[in-house]
Amino acid sequence: MKIGILISGRGSNLAAIISAIKSDKIPAKISLCLSDRASAKGLEIAYLHKIPAIFIDPKGLSREEYDHLLVAELKNKGVELVCLAGFMRIISPYFVRSFPNRIMNIHPALLPSFTGLSAQKQALDYGAKVSGCTVHFVDEGCDTGPIILQKAVPILENDTEESLAKKILAEEYKLYPEAISLFCQGRLRVEGRRVRIDNTLANQK
Ligand code: GRF
């Protein structure tokens, strides 16, 4: 399975996915890493692991024009699954339709709560006692696609935005590779809003 990863920044989820592939937890290869920011630290992580990585400048382009460039690069590499990992742009319907149920995202909250930016701060400000992370397929809305996996973390009295983000990230590093691996093994089936996970293989072990 050929994966394409889209980033805008730090790339710590990218690093977690690379490490899961190296330890044979995901039967896949990262064929391409794309960034909309030249300064994204994640690009350096990709270079370090000899993964083809390119910065594509969105300046002066409409969302749709930009996404045509991204899709062309991904298709050119034969990418079958696109993983958004801290990619800070909303992708166009054109992009979504180019990879139907083949784009995943990780969000640092338990969807459908706290969509969009600063999800950890939103959870704290709301006074939630639990938050977490969600891996979902990307549809044409913002953080609204069918949910694949979720993991909860408690919000404690002394938690700050930073401490909560750190706890959630630790779970993201496990959850995202797990979801990608399930997809690569052909064990995910989307039925309307529900993502069914085929446990037959797991049960045979
Ligand atoms: C993560 O918190 C992820 O949930 C969100 O963006 C952040 C990306 O971090 N979508 P990194 O670039 O993977 O370190």
Side-chain angles (χ1 to χ4, degrees), residues 148-159:
I148 304 167
L149 293 174
Q150 291 188 299
K151 177 77 188 188
V153 309
I155 298 180
L156 305 177
E157 285 304 318
N158 53 0
D159 263 325

Side-chain angles (χ1 to χ4, degrees), residues 15-188:
I17 296 165
I18 293 172
S19 139
I21 291 175
K22 293 214 160 160
S23 52
D24 290 329
K25 290 190 186 128
I26 306 177
K29 154 187 170 172
I30 304 176
S31 300
L32 186 60
C33 175
L34 295 177
S35 171
D36 64 332
R37 294 195 191 156
S39 60
K41 283 263 169 279
L43 282 173
E44 289 164 31
I45 298 175
Y47 298 143
L48 203 67
H49 289 90
K50 309 217 169 356
I51 293 166
I54 342 176
F55 155 61
I56 301 185
D57 194 349
K59 217 167 124 198
L61 301 178
S62 69
R63 195 189 298 285
E64 183 110 348
E65 283 166 347
Y66 185 68
D67 284 1
H68 269 83
L69 298 182
L70 298 184
V71 168
E73 292 290 346
L74 293 163
K75 294 275 182 194
N76 187 28
K77 288 278 184 186
V79 164
E80 299 160 274
L81 172 68
V82 179
C83 298
L84 309 183
F87 188 60
M88 298 307 285
R89 296 171 61 91
I90 292 175
I91 64 174
S92 63
Y94 164 75
F95 193 154
V96 175
R97 287 174 205 158
S98 301
F99 291 93
N101 288 333
R102 287 179 171 270
I103 308 172
M104 283 185 190
N105 181 42
I106 184 143
H107 183 74
L110 294 176
L111 292 173
S113 292
F114 313 127
T115 57
L117 294 176
S118 308
Q120 302 91 338
K121 182 170 186 305
Q122 290 184 54
L124 278 172
D125 289 351
Y126 196 87
K129 300 292 185 194
V130 178
S131 192
C133 49
T134 303
V135 182
H136 63 95
F137 282 116
V138 174
D139 67 5
E140 294 182 20
C142 175
D143 299 326
T144 52
I147 291 170
I148 304 167
L149 293 174
Q150 291 188 299
K151 177 77 188 188
V153 309
I155 298 180
L156 305 177
E157 285 304 318
N158 53 0
D159 263 325
T160 60
E161 202 182 328
E162 291 69 37
S163 67
L164 179 58
K166 200 168 158 201
K167 277 195 284 191
I168 295 176
L169 267 180
E171 297 302 336
E172 292 184 31
Y173 300 156
K174 293 180 260 177
L175 205 69
Y176 211 178
E178 191 184 337
I180 296 170
S181 182
L182 287 169
F183 181 93
C184 293
Q185 294 171 60
R187 291 170 58 193
L188 299 181

